[in-house]
Amino acid sequence: QVQLQESGPGLVKPSETLSLTCAVSGGSISSGDYYWSWIRQSPGTGLEWIGYIYYSGNTYYNPSLESRLIMSVDTSKNQFSLSLRSVTAADTAVYYCARESHHAGHYYYYIDVWGKGTTVTVSS
Amino acid sequence: DIQMTQSPFTLSASVGDRVTITCRASESINNWLAWYQQKPGKAPKVLISKASSLERGVPSRFSGSGSGTEFTLTISSLQPDDFATYYCQQYNSYPVHFGQGTKLEIK
């Protein structure tokens, strides 16, 4: 059974870069069947999908965050990462990494596995 | 972007009740809709995908229906473990969006 685990600093200063990593266990990130995603949740904005990365490195970012966002994948370590620069208090949230799967014969992806989430606070 | 609107925001019900939550899309998403359950301090858990397909291990008291722009999640007989917040999510097109959530409370 695939499990995902987020890691990274819980506190980031305004204007700095938020960096998180998601370790995947119980399955290979190099499987071509999945997208690997980040979602965040804050009381003010609810659940917000950030973007996904494919094992090949192809990405799709939410346009609302695209200018500040970089995702990367390390297949040798079976993990993927998020980097969000120039953070403000509005980026304070619980950040989840997740796996997106599709139904057989269709290429529409939904989130079927979530990490436990990590709280990131932006504050000086 | 396709926006999702859920109703009601909160729902008070008792064990054994049948409850329905509604989700509307701002344009047609065919049947590319998922429902998630979230408990305090936990990650969401997928219940239903493709509008009506029950995920493995999810109790049969949960069901989903709808297509196009109108969808419902029904719990046929509420159990104590079902009191949580429920979210819909469209995955017809990126960026995907979630509804704002429906908090199911004990009456």
Side-chain angles (χ1 to χ4, degrees), chain B residues 13-15 44 51 62 65 73 90 97 100:
Chain B
S14 302
V15 173
F62 291 92
S65 65
L73 172 70
Q90 70 83 12
H97 282 279
Q100 72 273 39

Side-chain angles (χ1 to χ4, degrees), chain A residues 40 48-49 61-68:
Chain A
R40 67 182 184 180
E48 181 180 27
W49 182 85
Y61 300 153
N62 192 323
S64 66
L65 297 167
E66 186 171 20
S67 63
R68 300 190 289 132

Side-chain angles (χ1 to χ4, degrees), chain B residues 6 9-11 19 21 36-40 42-45 47 62 73 75 78-87 101-106:
Chain B
Q6 281 181 242
F9 290 118
T10 60
L11 181 56
V19 298
I21 298 168
Y36 301 89
Q37 177 193 66
Q38 187 178 33
K39 296 182 179 178
K42 300 293 187 182
K45 169 191 169 185
L47 301 174
F62 291 92
L73 172 70
I75 309 173
L78 273 174
Q79 299 302 301
D81 191 49
D82 300 339
F83 292 95
T85 300
Y86 293 84
Y87 296 92
T102 296
K103 186 174 183 181
L104 181 52
E105 300 177 328
I106 300 174

Side-chain angles (χ1 to χ4, degrees), chain A residues 68-80:
Chain A
R68 300 190 289 132
L69 187 60
I70 296 175
M71 291 186 186
S72 60
V73 62
D74 188 335
T75 55
S76 66
K77 294 182 178 179
N78 219 36
Q79 64 185 35
F80 60 106

Side-chain angles (χ1 to χ4, degrees), chain A residues 25-47:
Chain A
S25 59
S28 174
I29 202 170
S30 298
S31 168
D33 290 333
Y34 308 111
Y35 292 159
W36 304 94
S37 304
W38 292 95
I39 300 102
R40 67 182 184 180
Q41 184 174 31
S42 62
T45 55
L47 285 162

Side-chain angles (χ1 to χ4, degrees), chain A:
Chain A
Q1 181 177 347
V2 169
Q3 293 186 311
L4 308 177
Q5 179 65 61
E6 306 88 351
S7 62
L11 181 64
V12 182
K13 290 182 168 54
S15 80
E16 295 191 344
T17 297
L18 182 163
S19 296
L20 297 173
T21 295
C22 181
V24 179
S25 59
S28 174
I29 202 170
S30 298
S31 168
D33 290 333
Y34 308 111
Y35 292 159
W36 304 94
S37 304
W38 292 95
I39 300 102
R40 67 182 184 180
Q41 184 174 31
S42 62
T45 55
L47 285 162
E48 181 180 27
W49 182 85
I50 297 171
Y52 74 69
I53 189 164
Y54 193 50
Y55 79 97
S56 63
N58 288 350
T59 56
Y60 184 97
Y61 300 153
N62 192 323
S64 66
L65 297 167
E66 186 171 20
S67 63
R68 300 190 289 132
L69 187 60
I70 296 175
M71 291 186 186
S72 60
V73 62
D74 188 335
T75 55
S76 66
K77 294 182 178 179
N78 219 36
Q79 64 185 35
F80 60 106
S81 300
L82 164 78
S83 179
L84 184 67
R85 65 179 179 84
S86 304
V87 297
T88 70
D91 295 309
T92 294
V94 176
Y95 285 75
Y96 296 99
C97 61
R99 186 183 80 173
E100 296 189 26
S101 298
H102 65 92
H103 305 276
H106 298 276
Y107 293 93
Y108 294 86
Y109 288 74
Y110 69 102
I111 302 163
D112 70 335
V113 180
W114 297 70
K116 293 182 178 179
T118 188
T119 299
V120 178
T121 301
V122 178
S123 175
S124 55

